Amino acid sequence: MAWTGRLVTALAVCGVLLAGSAGCGSRAAQEQEQEQEQSAGSPSPVGKLLEERDDEGRPYREVDEEDAPEVGVEVTPDTDGGWDVRLRVRNFRFSPDGTADRAVPGRGLAHLYVNDRLVALLRTPGHHLSPHTVRRGTHQVTVRLYADDESVWAVGGKPVESTADITVSEPSPTTTPTATERGAADPDPAGGRGSPDQDRRAG
């Protein structure tokens, strides 16, 4: 009888442990489902797709200015004749490679353009431009933010982007390359949202 009592007790303990484990697994599965639903933008889509598109035909995704992503760009020359590009973002996080193709608020990647030519897709805030990418003359380096479904984050019908002008001169002891950032506050016909450090325009 004593042996039987110990066996029943052991079985009861195992049953409690298994039930607890199943409960934890169930909760984890529920939390994962909720996260996926939120990431998918359920029950309503993220922002509003507009008729406007970028040069590659990707639609603009309009979001409210209050929580919209912002980006600024800094371009500085390096010692080898190339340029270091650094992004400053706000209300935005970079998605890792392999992320699902759906729009999630404040998430995605950046497209890097030189003179309106796409040169890189950025999933980190830093990038290096080789000397062959920007030769002698003045060039426009533009960074634009995209959602993971390749739509363009936009505010007020304009893409969330920032542009810096860089000037490459012939190498000499007295001349150095220069870079000037242009954001939304500048009279740039391309428009867009510029550096997060700049004040927003009224109205």
Side-chain angles (χ1 to χ4, degrees):
M1 292 296 293
W3 179 85
T4 304
R6 286 197 297 270
L7 178 61
V8 171
T9 302
L11 289 174
V13 171
C14 289
V16 171
L17 290 175
L18 288 173
S21 176
C24 292
S26 178
R27 280 196 299 273
Q30 289 175 357
E31 290 174 359
Q32 186 176 9
E33 279 184 15
Q34 291 175 356
E35 183 177 353
Q36 288 175 350
E37 288 175 359
Q38 292 173 356
S39 297
S42 299
S44 59
V46 179
K48 176 184 177 183
L49 290 178
L50 306 180
E51 293 183 2
E52 288 83 355
R53 295 177 177 268
D54 68 2
D55 292 339
E56 287 81 30
R58 301 181 182 90
Y60 287 10
R61 183 177 293 276
E62 179 81 13
V63 291
D64 293 336
E65 182 176 5
E66 182 178 356
D67 299 318
E70 298 181 40
V71 63
V73 58
E74 294 178 352
V75 189
T76 56
D78 64 17
T79 56
D80 298 325
W83 297 79
D84 291 323
V85 179
R86 191 73 183 173
L87 310 188
R88 304 186 309 275
V89 296
R90 181 181 296 167
N91 297 332
F92 184 82
R93 65 188 188 279
F94 292 95
S95 298
D97 194 19
T99 300
D101 296 336
R102 61 171 177 261
V104 176
R107 198 177 79 182
L109 67 160
H111 288 201
L112 177 64
Y113 299 87
V114 175
N115 299 331
D116 296 325
R117 180 174 62 89
L118 180 63
V119 297
L121 304 180
L122 306 183
R123 296 187 180 275
T124 61
H127 185 75
H128 181 263
L129 292 173
S130 70
H132 304 291
T133 307
V134 282
R135 299 182 181 276
R136 181 182 179 185
T138 299
H139 308 272
Q140 291 183 350
V141 177
T142 300
V143 175
R144 185 179 302 143
L145 298 185
Y146 286 74
D148 291 314
D149 67 349
E150 297 190 346
S151 57
V152 185
W153 290 116
V155 175
K158 296 180 179 179
V160 177
E161 64 180 22
S162 186
T163 299
D165 292 337
I166 61 176
T167 300
V168 182
S169 305
E170 288 290 345
S172 74
T174 58
T175 61
T176 57
T178 60
T180 305
E181 182 180 355
R182 290 189 291 108
D186 296 325
D188 178 12
R193 287 166 65 82
S195 166
D197 300 327
Q198 294 174 342
D199 294 333
R200 295 174 177 169
R201 281 188 287 185

